[in-house]
Amino acid sequence: MSKKVAVVTGANKGIGLAIVKGLCKAGFEGDILLTARNEKLGQEAVSALHSEGCKKVVFHQLDVCDQGSCSKLRKFLEENYGGLDVLINNAGIAFKQAATEPFGEQAEVTMRTNFWGTLWVCHALLPILRPNARVVSVSSFVSKRSLDQCSAELQAKLRSSDISEEELCLLMGEFVSAAQKGDHQAQGWPNTAYGTTKIGVTVLSRIQARVLGETRPGDGILLNACCPGLVQTDMAGPKASKSPEEGAETPVYLAMLPVGAKEPHGQLVWDKTVQAW
């Protein structure tokens, strides 16, 4: 029996680091791969965790925006573990409200990490999920709020129970193109790059859960998106209402759903509660 393994992306600080700690405290039985783009920062985070007693944490470099980097991680997992048991897609970015970059640039850069990065990690790693695996994509309550600001036509497409991954990718590309031209609101999109990328993450998880249900119906795999809440991180700032540890509670809860659990699956979960989409 191969040792169990969990992967957390964007985990050298903030919510990602708190999720790694949370998995340790929850008694995850196996290695926890703390991944980060910056090797030095990732190794430093692992050393600090080891000194705190989290000895099962291992560093592996991962740039979610680099499909070659995603493939290297898959190869490492296959060669050393034979598969994957828990994937937490946490890597994400947001421009500050005071950012001076043009909105079109903000849209392209944010989409690359938050949506495309999540998609590329999933393309690399979902095929090696073992039975009873758990997948959690960190989205945001902003995705629901942003969806409500979309045109009725876009809302219908993005709430559809049979939207395909290809259709979603086209829509996310259309948003970026419209943002670069400055007519995204005229085309029915909200005036938020971050919120729109998180619509993409939430809808992607709904699609992936549906496909897993069709292609691996007896394998007990559960896949969900979640909102950690407004967390005191570099992204949300020090005045946010939750600590990183509190923000990690729902992602860890979803990652540790017991074998035999049937739900939640394909949902957006906030404070351990399923939210209507």
Side-chain angles (χ1 to χ4, degrees):
M1 178 89 178
S2 297
K3 185 191 274 192
K4 288 183 78 171
V5 61
V7 166
V8 185
T9 71
N12 62 285
K13 64 179 181 178
I15 297 169
L17 183 58
I19 289 169
V20 173
K21 287 183 188 174
L23 289 172
C24 287
K25 287 181 180 167
F28 179 76
E29 295 175 1
D31 288 347
I32 302 165
L33 263 60
L34 181 157
T35 75
R37 187 175 45 191
N38 185 307
E39 185 150 0
K40 180 174 179 286
L41 295 176
Q43 294 283 15
E44 286 171 358
V46 168
S47 297
L49 288 172
H50 285 179
S51 67
E52 291 174 26
C54 295
K55 303 292 188 189
K56 55 179 98 172
V57 181
V58 180
F59 175 72
H60 196 286
Q61 197 273 342
L62 174 66
D63 180 352
V64 300
C65 296
D66 178 348
Q67 293 181 71
S69 180
C70 297
S71 297
K72 277 184 193 168
L73 176 58
R74 172 177 171 157
K75 190 167 182 235
F76 174 83
L77 290 164
E78 287 180 311
E79 289 175 354
N80 291 274
Y81 299 96
L84 178 61
D85 301 285
V86 170
L87 170 61
I88 301 183
N89 292 303
N90 167 74
I93 61 165
F95 281 81
K96 302 290 184 196
Q97 279 191 313
T100 56
E101 291 87 348
F103 185 77
E105 182 183 335
Q106 292 186 35
E108 183 181 12
V109 171
T110 311
M111 189 68 75
R112 189 184 306 141
T113 294
N114 294 2
F115 177 73
W116 295 109
T118 300
L119 180 76
W120 290 330
V121 170
C122 287
H123 278 186
L125 302 186
L126 293 192
I128 63 168
L129 290 177
R130 278 197 273 253
N132 302 308
R134 304 287 179 253
V135 180
V136 185
S137 289
V138 177
S139 185
S140 172
F141 64 89
V142 179
S143 69
K144 177 72 167 67
R145 195 168 69 198
S146 301
L147 178 67
D148 291 339
Q149 293 168 2
C150 288
S151 68
E153 183 186 357
L154 281 173
Q155 286 188 45
K157 287 179 181 176
L158 293 162
R159 286 194 169 104
S160 167
S161 59
D162 59 2
I163 183 174
S164 69
E165 187 180 291
E166 293 75 18
E167 288 168 328
L168 175 62
C169 289
L170 283 171
L171 285 170
M172 292 297 104
E174 285 170 13
F175 166 72
V176 172
S177 295
Q180 289 168 336
K181 291 177 194 149
D183 65 353
H184 53 284
Q185 287 178 287
Q187 291 192 30
W189 293 101
N191 195 32
T192 163
Y194 178 78
T196 304
T197 68
K198 291 301 190 179
I199 290 175
V201 171
T202 301
V203 176
L204 179 64
S205 68
R206 286 160 56 87
I207 294 167
Q208 290 168 333
R210 187 182 78 226
V211 171
L212 279 169
E214 292 164 356
T215 57
R216 300 184 63 177
D219 278 359
I221 298 169
L222 297 177
L223 184 154
N224 293 283
C226 73
C227 171
L230 208 55
V231 178
Q232 296 151 13
T233 60
D234 290 350
M235 189 185 287
K239 293 180 182 172
S241 56
K242 286 187 176 184
S243 68
E245 289 70 31
E246 289 169 327
E249 283 177 8
T250 292
V252 170
Y253 154 74
L254 291 170
M256 297 293 289
L257 287 168
V259 172
K262 302 281 190 228
E263 54 188 36
H265 182 56
Q267 301 292 344
L268 176 62
V269 182
W270 184 4
D271 287 339
K272 302 182 185 177
T273 306
V274 170
Q275 305 296 312
W277 182 250

